[in-house]
Amino acid sequence: FYAGSALENLQGQLLLALGGTSGGLNLTGYQLLLLDRAHPDVPPTVLMPFASSIDPALSALTPEQLNWRGVGLYPWRPLDLAETREGWVYISLAGGRILALRPQAEETS
């Protein structure tokens, strides 16, 4: 459960990393999910892979289709999650990659 304060929309929510399938053509898993414990009947929110609204062609794709297109986590299997004292979330991926969920840096002019 996320207990930090840096990512307000995640507070009190359960983050779940799905490692994904292996040895098959069906790419299930390879996702980072957010489960709302206050509403257990609501399906989980897929945080990654995420199709931004910048490319409308991607917004209609499923997480599996996004992974096949290389805009998801595949082929790097999510292994674990860790929260820092600043409230950032690190996701370790197979192959030695580390992703960070952190607040967007404020623009300075």
Side-chain angles (χ1 to χ4, degrees), residues 32-54:
L32 179 64
L33 301 178
L34 181 68
L35 296 141
D36 185 349
R37 69 178 173 177
H39 302 96
D41 296 335
V42 175
T45 302
V46 178
L47 295 179
M48 290 180 171
F50 176 75
S52 71
S53 58
I54 295 172

Side-chain angles (χ1 to χ4, degrees), residues 1-105:
F1 289 96
Y2 180 76
S5 60
L7 304 168
E8 293 178 15
N9 59 333
L10 301 182
Q11 286 182 338
Q13 306 301 318
L14 178 65
L15 290 166
L16 181 64
L18 300 181
T21 57
S22 62
L25 294 177
N26 189 4
L27 291 182
T28 57
Y30 297 98
Q31 295 178 5
L32 179 64
L33 301 178
L34 181 68
L35 296 141
D36 185 349
R37 69 178 173 177
H39 302 96
D41 296 335
V42 175
T45 302
V46 178
L47 295 179
M48 290 180 171
F50 176 75
S52 71
S53 58
I54 295 172
D55 187 347
L58 294 178
S59 64
L61 299 178
T62 67
E64 290 79 16
Q65 292 168 325
L66 290 168
N67 275 320
W68 274 117
R69 289 179 179 246
V71 294
L73 296 174
Y74 177 80
W76 302 285
R77 184 178 311 278
L79 301 174
D80 203 0
L81 301 168
E83 182 183 330
T84 68
R85 64 177 161 223
E86 297 87 9
W88 298 7
V89 176
Y90 287 114
I91 307 160
S92 66
L93 303 175
R97 294 177 185 262
I98 303 287
L99 299 179
L101 296 179
R102 58 188 178 91
Q104 185 172 356

